[in-house]
Amino acid sequence: MSLATVSETRCFGGRQVTFKHDSRSTGTAMRVAVFLPPQAERGPVPAFWFLAGLTCTEDNFAQKAGAQRVAADLGLALIAPDTSPRGDGVPDDEAYDFGVGAGFYLDATEAPWSANFRMRAYIEDELPALLAAELPLDMDRQGLSGHSMGGHGALTIGLRNPGRFRAVSAFAPIASPMNCPWGEKALPRYLGPDRAAWRAYDACALIADGARLPEILVEQGTADPFLAQQLKPELLEDACREAGIGLTLNRRDGYDHSYFFIASFIADHLRWHSARLGL
Amino acid sequence: MSLATVSETRCFGGRQVTFKHDSRSTGTAMRVAVFLPPQAERGPVPAFWFLAGLTCTEDNFAQKAGAQRVAADLGLALIAPDTSPRGDGVPDDEAYDFGVGAGFYLDATEAPWSANFRMRAYIEDELPALLAAELPLDMDRQGLSGHSMGGHGALTIGLRNPGRFRAVSAFAPIASPMNCPWGEKALPRYLGPDRAAWRAYDACALIADGARLPEILVEQGTADPFLAQQLKPELLEDACREAGIGLTLNRRDGYDHSYFFIASFIADHLRWHSARLGL
């Protein structure tokens, strides 16, 4: 087994487990939090991926979203990866929005980041293969979601792999990193100055370049302090309208950027995914 | 208004608010997390208090228990205080189980702790009066619960104030601080060497001395690492049996001491309380 158990407890009749493993993508030990519903004791279950935002680890979604209750009802596994490599020897930056905790779900090409910051390869290829080999997951039925930087991750990974995920949603995603301060800071440092290389990591640019999903569900709080400057859901609305992608964008009055917002609507997303996963 | 709002957001259609205020009990600024359900916009609602455990702040229950969903359904406010005074000038100890984050819901009588560590007065008197004066709470309908050290707090405060709370429950409570290492360390330092003074802060001793509640609900995970040495629910079982108190002790196979355990059963407790609060 390449997955080592760091901690495990019962949760809503299933198992909440934190695994650790050595990643060839990042060159570090990586952790991932997995909820296996009671149904997983009888056979493979569909998987719901949730990519977290800036400063987060594998713990935030597992501990704060309250997703296990509905996942246990539906028979859905929850997979919450870390947001970057971390540990001794991993380059970092003092800022909260670059370096450790801020992997942006891309494969860096610029030194010193390129040695470890390969979260695209990790999330798209290495981790799914590892989990499929070692856990009772039905990888023909996967859904993908995320929050903020992880909403950007969910949208871009979903758009680049349209056959893999039967459902893609996001909470307060960074709609276009090429057009907001967080992305304008991170993309050149990770990827270099050529903006053409950034387009694979921008949902709106991917759509403009031809990537398609049948539909996307997005939740956005109107009291989110990052809404106007960083998240810009109107750019995703424009891109989807032009491309004929069915975007459902729910603007939620008075909700902010926190996990209180995610917790309030995660059941809606899990049920939306489960309908598309044949549950 | 003596309550200042630190943060506020919508949550399950209600409001999740962190308040700050100057406490005369502790001589410090104190924080408390309050969830007001949608029903509170139309009038006073019953209140469910949750006292947290060692190392916790007002955030842990609010962020990790997933209680707001059911509280919004039921029309129940959630009140989560901090676990001790904290800040400049407050004496502390390097240990996680004494000093800041470890107030044990008592009024210390020994220097240097007696100046600030007066969580009994704070939770029993000052905070209820303040919240009743400033928030739409029906203080004739209060329920009380807590976790670990906060479970001890809930049981002892409930037993000392039998008319005030219509329902008292606990998750993995310290059943008898006088008979476990956590208590044997904290009680003499806060209260001095006279064990008679400790009895007001020990649920089993209070019951032996005549305190009564009509019934108590306790949840306990069998995989809790603190079960045998620190929590000792069998002592509470013995005390309740001798006193004729109706104790329901649910031993939950495979659950540990974490908020995953609390989250799994908080809805049961909220519904149990709500039935006794006339909801």
Side-chain angles (χ1 to χ4, degrees), chain A residues 12-13 63-64 69 255 263-264, chain B residues 12-13 63 69 255 263-264:
Chain A
F12 285 97
Q63 295 183 353
K64 296 184 176 180
R69 179 185 61 90
Y255 287 83
S264 297
Chain B
F12 285 98
Q63 294 183 354
R69 179 186 61 89
Y255 286 83
S264 297

Side-chain angles (χ1 to χ4, degrees), chain A residues 70-256:
Chain A
V70 174
D73 280 350
L74 296 170
L76 195 56
L78 305 173
I79 302 171
D82 202 349
T83 59
S84 80
R86 59 183 80 231
D88 291 345
V90 174
D92 195 12
D93 186 288
E94 287 182 6
Y96 77 97
D97 57 359
F98 190 78
V100 170
F104 276 88
Y105 303 99
L106 53 72
D107 285 350
T109 53
E110 298 294 295
W113 315 103
S114 53
N116 305 106
F117 284 77
R118 301 187 62 242
M119 290 299 289
R120 173 182 177 171
Y122 176 68
I123 299 287
E124 280 191 6
D125 299 321
E126 182 180 5
L127 187 58
L130 178 61
L131 297 181
E134 304 205 7
L135 298 177
L137 301 174
D138 176 358
M139 301 303 269
D140 290 331
R141 296 195 287 170
Q142 297 181 71
L144 175 62
S145 189
H147 174 229
S148 195
M149 177 185 75
H152 142 73
L155 294 175
T156 54
I157 291 171
L159 285 161
R160 289 195 307 262
N161 299 275
R164 184 183 301 182
F165 300 97
R166 294 205 197 173
V168 175
S169 74
F171 292 76
I174 305 173
S176 180
M178 294 175 71
N179 293 291
C180 74
W182 280 336
E184 287 162 352
K185 172 181 179 177
L187 296 175
R189 293 182 70 186
Y190 283 135
L191 301 172
D194 179 4
R195 292 176 65 93
W198 305 0
R199 298 183 70 81
Y201 303 109
D202 184 295
C204 295
L206 282 164
I207 293 170
D209 293 346
R212 292 293 180 269
L213 285 168
E215 55 182 341
I216 298 172
L217 172 63
V218 170
E219 220 68 31
Q220 176 63 58
T222 64
D224 188 322
F226 303 113
L227 178 56
Q229 297 301 315
Q230 303 281 9
L231 305 177
K232 302 186 179 180
E234 64 277 9
L235 298 181
L236 185 65
E237 278 185 307
D238 292 346
C240 287
R241 191 182 305 113
E242 291 233 351
I245 294 174
L247 172 68
T248 301
L249 172 57
N250 296 319
R251 288 186 168 86
R252 301 297 187 176
D253 190 38
Y255 287 83
D256 68 8

Side-chain angles (χ1 to χ4, degrees), chain B residues 3-254:
Chain B
L3 289 175
T5 299
V6 176
S7 67
E8 174 173 350
T9 182
R10 282 273 160 207
C11 182
F12 285 98
R15 297 161 60 205
Q16 181 68 46
V17 192
T18 299
F19 294 110
K20 186 168 69 172
H21 69 97
D22 292 323
S23 166
R24 62 171 187 277
S25 304
T26 66
T28 65
M30 293 293 290
R31 290 180 181 226
V32 56
V34 177
F35 174 71
L36 293 169
Q39 294 86 342
E41 292 173 21
R42 298 191 296 274
V45 294
F48 175 84
W49 292 77
F50 193 92
L51 306 181
L54 291 168
T55 76
C56 289
T57 71
E58 74 283 358
D59 281 338
N60 297 66
F61 178 76
Q63 294 183 354
K64 296 184 175 179
Q68 291 91 347
R69 179 186 61 89
V70 174
D73 281 351
L74 295 170
L76 195 55
L78 305 173
I79 302 172
D82 202 349
T83 59
S84 81
R86 59 184 79 231
D88 292 345
V90 174
D92 194 13
D93 186 288
E94 288 183 5
Y96 77 97
D97 56 1
F98 190 76
V100 170
F104 276 88
Y105 303 99
L106 53 73
D107 284 351
T109 53
E110 298 294 295
W113 314 102
S114 52
N116 305 108
F117 284 77
R118 300 187 63 243
M119 290 299 288
R120 173 182 176 173
Y122 176 67
I123 300 287
E124 279 192 5
D125 299 322
E126 183 180 4
L127 187 58
L130 179 61
L131 297 181
E134 305 206 7
L135 298 177
L137 301 175
D138 177 358
M139 301 304 268
D140 291 330
R141 295 196 288 170
Q142 298 182 70
L144 175 62
S145 189
H147 174 229
S148 195
M149 176 185 75
H152 142 74
L155 295 175
T156 55
I157 292 170
L159 284 161
R160 289 195 307 263
N161 299 275
R164 185 184 300 181
F165 300 97
R166 293 206 198 173
V168 175
S169 74
F171 292 77
I174 305 174
S176 179
M178 294 175 72
N179 292 291
C180 75
W182 280 335
E184 287 162 353
K185 173 180 180 179
L187 296 176
R189 294 182 69 187
Y190 284 133
L191 300 172
D194 180 5
R195 291 175 66 93
W198 305 1
R199 297 183 71 82
Y201 303 109
D202 184 297
C204 295
L206 283 164
I207 293 170
D209 294 346
R212 292 293 180 270
L213 286 168
E215 55 182 343
I216 298 172
L217 172 63
V218 170
E219 220 68 31
Q220 176 62 59
T222 64
D224 188 321
F226 303 113
L227 177 56
Q229 297 302 315
Q230 303 280 9
L231 306 177
K232 302 187 179 181
E234 64 278 8
L235 298 182
L236 186 64
E237 278 185 308
D238 292 344
C240 286
R241 191 182 306 114
E242 292 233 350
I245 294 175
L247 171 68
T248 300
L249 172 57
N250 296 319
R251 289 186 167 84
R252 301 296 187 177
D253 190 37

